[in-house]
Amino acid sequence: MIRYILERLLQAIVSLIGVTIVVFAMVNLTGDPSLVMLPEDASAEQVEMVRHELGLDQPLVVRYVQYLGDLLQGDLGTSI
């Protein structure tokens, strides 16, 4: 019985990690939020500043780990 419970817990963990990867990928495929937030005539410096504030200048792996940490704390981020 304990083995069954451990197997199910392992399957649940793998499933949750898979779901977080899919959701993270879908959010990142929607485009650059800094371009949506700024007016069309924004300078490259303004775009870079917003990207830095949002953490979009970080590598994808770093952003995923930060996403997982925030998700575990119940922080789903700021809606654009």
Side-chain angles (χ1 to χ4, degrees):
M1 182 67 164
I2 293 178
R3 181 177 178 200
Y4 174 76
I5 292 172
L6 290 176
E7 287 177 2
R8 297 297 285 184
L9 284 174
L10 181 62
Q11 290 174 353
I13 291 170
V14 170
S15 295
L16 287 174
I17 290 173
V19 167
T20 61
I21 290 172
V22 169
V23 169
F24 182 77
M26 288 174 50
V27 167
N28 283 290
L29 290 176
T30 59
D32 190 358
S34 60
L35 297 177
V36 174
M37 295 172 70
L38 293 173
E40 292 182 15
D41 60 344
S43 68
E45 293 173 353
Q46 290 173 323
V47 172
E48 281 302 314
M49 184 176 67
V50 170
R51 287 181 53 81
H52 179 70
E53 289 174 1
L54 295 175
L56 298 173
D57 57 346
Q58 299 291 324
L60 199 59
V61 175
V62 172
R63 290 178 21 214
Y64 177 70
V65 171
Q66 288 174 343
Y67 169 72
L68 281 180
D70 291 344
L71 191 62
L72 289 173
Q73 295 176 11
D75 181 11
L76 299 178
T78 303
S79 176
I80 304 172

